[in-house]
Amino acid sequence: MSRYLTPRMQDLTPYTPGDIPRKRNVLKLNTNENPYPPPAAVLEAIRHASEDLQLYPDPCCLALRRAAAKYYGLEPDQVMAGNGSDENLFFALRAFCDEDHPLARPDVTYGCYGVWCDLMHIPQQIIPLEKDLTLDPARYHGLGVTIVIANPNAPTGLALPAAAIGEIAAANPNNVVIVDEAYVDFGAESCVPLIREHENLLVVQTFSKSRQMAGARLGFALGSPELIADLERVRNSLNPYNVNRMTQAAGIASLQCENYFRETCRQVIETREWTAAELRARGFTVTDSKANFLYVRTPKRRSRVLFRDLRQRAVLVRYFDAPRTEHWLRITVGTKEQMEVLLARLDKILKED
Ligand SMILES: *Cc1c(COP(=O)(O)O)cnc(C)c1O
């Protein structure tokens, strides 16, 4: 920290991303990346787009937005591309919240929401999940403030039916309800079809988890043309060239690889269910995750200790050191082979009693 940093920034606690291993042969199950490579057509599109690297990318992302609109059954003016979901979520909070316009969110959810609120001096209305970590939609009816809900939620993996979120939107007609669908492709119900009915519903999706493109940084905000115009205002006030030309091309190519997308999602879901059953057979408690990660705990080891033991055996998972999450571990679903390695190392660790 320099002596020039403002007191407000000094007080801020930034988000801590999952560790990036520097060594080879580390089993990286800590940031919910897709275990499969991107399809060849995506790599070819990136190579081709890079030939024009001296030129700025299209600031409107028109070709990409057209392709995405077609895919989602929307119009291009209902779609905005961003540098990952993180950027779109940040733009949404910048657009719909400020010192006098709070954000409501669950207590256990994606950590960035709270960090961005602190950065932008947005007061938060923190709504606890139930004892079993489920989210009771009734707690969000008639709040009268902007709401963000990750569905499926992170790090619990638990999902609400789309209709429950539609009801939250209907019960807060004068506020925006943001649905973060980072993991929706792994078995939850998307709210995109509800956009037509609810002009205050903003759905945010990413290509980082289900489309093998975490390294490219691409996400979409989907909503009424008016909401999207609001986000465009923020985007054009910060960084109009926010999505680079390789990523724009890669996004279009990815949307054309529907079979590969479906098949890899199916494999992740199958491996998730297999791994969950194996862990339950070993006495673990495992939530009913609809995401590409499992949220687990075992009476045999403190999660903090198990996290460290796994790291010692070159397996990286995620541990969140906060009152309601300290008893749990979040484990990304990799390939079946990767999960077999995970289970073998867990067995070794737990045998050491
Ligand atoms: C991974 C994740 C994001 C961020 O996605 P990017 O598109 O990589 O920025 C947003 N929300 C949740 C809940 C996530 O898990």
Side-chain angles (χ1 to χ4, degrees), residues 83-86 89 110 113 150 154 180 182-183 206 208-209 217-218:
N83 194 294
S85 266
D86 281 347
L89 289 161
Y110 185 41
Y113 308 147
D180 182 351
Y183 301 104
T206 173
S208 294
K209 313 290 169 43
R217 317 302 302 126
L218 180 63

Side-chain angles (χ1 to χ4, degrees), residues 15 31-32 82-87 89 109-110 112-113 116 150-154 180-183 204-209 213-214 217-219 293 330:
Y15 180 74
T31 52
N32 301 340
N83 194 294
S85 266
D86 281 347
E87 192 185 53
L89 289 161
T109 191
Y110 185 41
C112 281
Y113 308 147
W116 293 322
N151 194 47
N153 196 13
D180 182 351
E181 295 192 338
Y183 301 104
V204 173
Q205 288 201 3
T206 173
F207 278 31
S208 294
K209 313 290 169 43
M213 278 177 50
R217 317 302 302 126
L218 180 63
F293 55 80
R330 191 196 70 189

Side-chain angles (χ1 to χ4, degrees), residues 165-306:
I165 296 193
E167 283 164 21
I168 293 173
N172 293 277
N174 299 319
N175 298 96
V176 176
V177 175
I178 305 164
V179 191
D180 182 351
E181 295 192 338
Y183 301 104
V184 77
D185 297 322
F186 300 109
E189 218 184 328
S190 175
C191 288
V192 171
L194 302 184
I195 286 171
R196 223 168 296 141
E197 294 161 54
H198 303 283
E199 57 163 25
N200 60 332
L201 189 62
L202 186 74
V203 180
V204 173
Q205 288 201 3
T206 173
F207 278 31
S208 294
K209 313 290 169 43
S210 57
R211 285 189 179 268
Q212 296 95 15
M213 278 177 50
R217 317 302 302 126
L218 180 63
F220 287 103
L222 312 162
S224 66
E226 292 76 16
L227 288 187
I228 296 302
D230 296 343
L231 296 184
E232 288 286 4
R233 245 174 117 79
V234 180
R235 189 179 72 86
N236 286 315
S237 306
L238 182 76
N239 181 12
Y241 299 112
N242 57 330
V243 183
N244 72 66
R245 58 172 53 244
M246 283 76 70
T247 296
Q248 291 190 29
I252 295 169
S254 173
L255 287 167
Q256 289 163 349
C257 299
E258 181 68 9
N259 287 343
Y260 186 80
F261 165 69
R262 285 210 189 152
E263 177 54 22
T264 48
C265 284
R266 190 194 65 72
Q267 281 182 35
V268 168
I269 292 167
E270 192 179 294
T271 307
R272 175 186 72 208
E273 296 307 315
W274 178 80
T275 311
E278 289 287 325
L279 288 168
R280 287 187 182 115
R282 288 161 170 82
F284 279 75
T285 301
V286 183
T287 65
D288 182 24
S289 173
K290 298 287 182 235
N292 68 337
F293 55 80
L294 291 165
Y295 202 46
V296 312
R297 59 188 292 181
T298 167
K300 293 183 193 153
R301 273 285 190 299
R302 281 181 180 281
S303 287
R304 179 198 307 272
V305 175
L306 190 52

